[in-house]
Amino acid sequence: MAAAPTDAVVTRAIAQITASLIGDAPRPIVHSFFDEVTFTASHVVHDPVTRSAAIIDSVLDFDPASARTGHASADAMIAYVRAQGLSVEWLLETHAHADHLSAAPYLQQQLGGRIAIGRAITAVQQTFGTLFNEGSDFQRDGSQFDHLFDDGDSFTIGSLAAAVLHVPGHTPADLAYVIGDAVFTGDTIFMPDFGTARADFPGGDARQLFRSIRRLLSLPRGARLFLCHDYKAPERDTFAWETTIGAERDSNVHVHDGIEEDGFVAMRTARDATLDMPRLILPSIQVNMRAGHLPEPEANGTRYLKIPLDTV
């Protein structure tokens, strides 16, 4: 099942990927960092011509027992960027993560760049602003971010062409970034042997997730996919976060070619009912809906995160 021919956004993304694959446009260089504590893959993608770069889905270290944050994961990315002589233009979030805190503001302080996410973050802010009983000082208009992307938007990283695909289902705000021939899918899809993302968070929808994934899988088979998480599938001993559109279409255990929408929805709904909430969902969402900024200090100079009881 491919995207409809009228999907002009996908058509443009296909042309961009094809140009990169055949050498008519630069092919981005991607270096990934994997945080085993949160099973998160973060990516630095850069233009080999201009050395302009973007950082995607960064991680702020957080110990829930002590409520202490740290920068070891982010500092490793900073060291790489500086060693390679890169200039960071964008700090991209695929969505408001529920399993780790974003390090985007810290990276921005150290390296520059604009923090960006999808415009539907406003729906996430509205839902979780209510859950955490945030007051009127918490804006629900996405203004904490430097830029909000819409489906079909295009931008550049140096001489690299980049396109934005809105791929909701896991959350309302998920985006995929297509940069040259590289596709950064966030939490929509995992390695072929592990399957797909859950769709039971507020605003999630398994049917919408299926359609978003099929939209992604209509891109050229040779496109490289860089994923946001890996949990090691059974009988696999190493973490992995890079695959291709072709590999996903051929063998993704949840959504390979031939899987029908109703069957996927039934499987995903049943599977999600067995899953625990992510360990860091409450601190993560509070921070990530603020573009990675921590809550403002209270009168005693200390910042606080809330834990609503008997709700999530």
Side-chain angles (χ1 to χ4, degrees):
M1 182 191 305
T6 55
D7 192 337
V9 175
V10 169
T11 299
R12 291 197 302 272
I14 290 171
Q16 174 190 302
I17 291 168
T18 301
S20 184
L21 287 173
I22 66 176
D24 285 349
R27 194 165 189 251
I29 295 172
V30 182
H31 188 81
S32 301
F33 297 79
F34 191 75
D35 176 50
E36 287 196 34
V37 176
T38 61
F39 305 102
T40 302
S42 304
H43 311 285
V44 179
V45 54
H46 79 263
D47 174 15
V49 179
T50 67
R51 308 202 72 75
S52 297
I55 298 176
I56 302 173
D57 291 337
S58 61
V59 173
L60 179 72
D61 302 324
F62 179 70
D63 175 24
S66 65
R68 291 189 179 278
T69 60
H71 300 113
S73 297
D75 284 342
M77 302 180 83
I78 291 169
Y80 172 79
V81 166
R82 289 175 174 164
Q84 295 295 315
L86 306 181
S87 175
V88 174
E89 296 184 355
W90 292 96
L91 300 157
L92 303 175
E93 302 288 348
T94 55
H95 64 297
H97 306 275
D99 38 31
H100 71 273
L101 283 64
S102 170
Y106 175 72
L107 291 169
Q108 185 178 57
Q109 181 184 53
Q110 298 294 318
L111 299 171
R114 302 172 71 192
I115 302 173
I117 201 167
R119 189 172 301 280
I121 188 61
T122 57
V124 175
Q125 290 176 327
Q126 184 62 47
T127 296
F128 285 97
T130 300
L131 174 65
F132 293 115
N133 198 33
E134 299 287 353
S136 58
D137 58 332
F138 173 63
Q139 299 299 311
R140 294 157 170 83
D141 59 0
S143 57
Q144 299 86 347
F145 297 82
D146 298 316
H147 188 80
L148 301 180
F149 283 117
D150 291 302
D151 185 52
D153 281 352
S154 59
F155 62 105
T156 59
I157 302 168
S159 63
L160 292 173
V164 176
L165 274 67
H166 184 211
V167 286
H170 173 62
T171 78
D174 282 65
L175 295 183
Y177 297 102
V178 183
I179 302 171
D181 70 315
V183 185
F184 299 87
T185 65
D187 284 13
T188 54
I189 196 167
F190 301 138
M191 291 297 290
D193 58 1
F194 200 86
T196 57
R198 65 195 298 166
D200 60 331
F201 294 155
D205 183 277
R207 195 169 298 278
Q208 198 171 47
L209 178 63
F210 179 85
R211 294 173 183 177
S212 291
I213 291 172
R214 294 312 310 182
R215 192 182 192 210
L216 287 171
L217 297 188
S218 67
L219 298 173
R221 290 178 61 89
R224 295 177 288 164
L225 263 63
F226 292 90
L227 315 178
C228 189
H229 294 289
D230 188 57
Y231 305 94
K232 288 184 185 174
E235 302 182 4
R236 175 156 55 84
D237 296 328
T238 58
F239 291 108
W241 49 82
E242 181 180 352
T243 183
T244 65
I245 291 287
E248 296 282 15
R249 290 186 59 173
D250 292 343
S251 58
N252 185 284
V253 293
H254 293 168
V255 73
H256 60 76
D257 286 356
I259 297 290
E260 297 295 331
E261 183 173 313
D262 288 345
F264 173 84
V265 170
M267 177 281 300
R268 189 68 264 171
T269 302
R271 183 177 175 86
D272 288 350
T274 71
L275 301 177
D276 294 330
M277 284 290 104
R279 183 174 63 99
L280 296 181
I281 185 171
L282 295 177
S284 294
I285 293 294
Q286 285 178 81
V287 170
N288 295 338
M289 70 183 185
R290 292 178 163 88
H293 297 285
L294 301 177
E296 289 298 316
E298 298 194 5
N300 62 357
T302 300
R303 304 174 191 270
Y304 291 89
L305 294 171
K306 295 181 179 179
I307 300 179
L309 300 178
D310 302 321
T311 54
V312 179

